[in-house]
Amino acid sequence: MEIYSENYQLKSRDVNMYRTLRMSALFEIMQETATEHSEILGSGIDVIRARNLMWVLALQSVEIARMPRYREQIRIETWPGRTVHSLYPRYHCISDSEDNCIIRSSAIWTLADIEERKLVSSSQSGFDYEGIKTGKEISLPRPPRSFYTSETMSFTVPLSYIDMNGHMNNTRYFDLAENVFSPAKEGLSPIRILIEYSSELRLGESYDIAWGEKDGHCYLMGGREKPSFRLVVDY
């Protein structure tokens, strides 16, 4: 098993008005490279769909030394950790042209049944990875411990936010965040991001969204009776 590596030059669609990488674009880059690597490992989308399965992201944390800028050349590396029951850890390191790892990420993915929307263990799916250790890993994410909100709004999921799995794609939550967080509007870049996905947001359905800012921490959550997601961004 080898690390997957890909070079990429930031395009205008990837950056905000301050010419730095958008949060949603960062997560798109990590999502796409993880997808490419899963194809190489024999667990790509077509393979798992043939078994009526889909990849689902449960938790992800990111540590950022700095955000890359428009037209900057970066290298993305990604590799899996060791599978534990129904949990599939995955790591990312994004480096600049001088080989400095400026962004590190750890994530926990799961496999779910497409029809029942229930988690499937590795013994049931047949996908089980020994994983790789590089020394570049950050700790695996845990759910947010504290949360603060002061503002609310109603949000209806548009068609443009829906992915192949029929739910709101994990990267789109960060567009929601940037639209309400004041540090993002001021051009500040995040230094830490933590997101927990508990349940799906579906096309055309409306959800209560709450957010707040306190001591440099920005919070965003949404759902109905229980939160479907919780996001914390530190600036």
Side-chain angles (χ1 to χ4, degrees), residues 13-16 21-28 153 155 158 160-161 168-181 184-185 195 197 220 229 231:
R13 65 171 180 256
D14 301 318
V15 300
N16 57 28
L21 183 63
R22 294 181 183 275
M23 281 197 291
S24 59
L26 167 62
F27 282 79
E28 285 174 359
M153 68 177 181
F155 170 71
S160 59
Y161 279 17
M168 182 162 149
N169 186 264
N170 73 86
T171 66
R172 300 277 70 85
Y173 294 82
F174 300 98
D175 288 329
L176 274 179
E178 286 192 334
N179 286 335
V180 297
F181 289 169
K185 297 176 183 178
I195 188 163
Y197 304 94
L220 182 75
F229 74 94
L231 168 64

Side-chain angles (χ1 to χ4, degrees), residues 149-212:
T149 60
S150 58
E151 307 291 333
T152 61
M153 68 177 181
S154 178
F155 170 71
T156 301
V157 182
L159 178 62
S160 59
Y161 279 17
I162 300 298
D163 63 17
M164 291 186 292
N165 290 327
H167 57 212
M168 182 162 149
N169 186 264
N170 73 86
T171 66
R172 300 277 70 85
Y173 294 82
F174 300 98
D175 288 329
L176 274 179
E178 286 192 334
N179 286 335
V180 297
F181 289 169
S182 59
K185 297 176 183 178
E186 295 166 4
L188 299 180
S189 292
I191 57 175
R192 281 180 298 274
I193 303 170
L194 172 63
I195 188 163
E196 174 190 23
Y197 304 94
S198 301
S199 58
E200 302 172 290
L201 300 190
R202 308 300 292 269
L203 173 62
E205 295 190 357
S206 296
Y207 301 89
D208 296 322
I209 304 296
W211 73 94

Side-chain angles (χ1 to χ4, degrees), residues 35 38-49 55 127 129:
T35 299
S38 69
E39 295 284 347
I40 295 170
L41 296 176
S43 55
I45 293 173
D46 291 339
V47 173
I48 65 170
R49 277 187 174 271
W55 284 110
F127 299 109
Y129 303 124

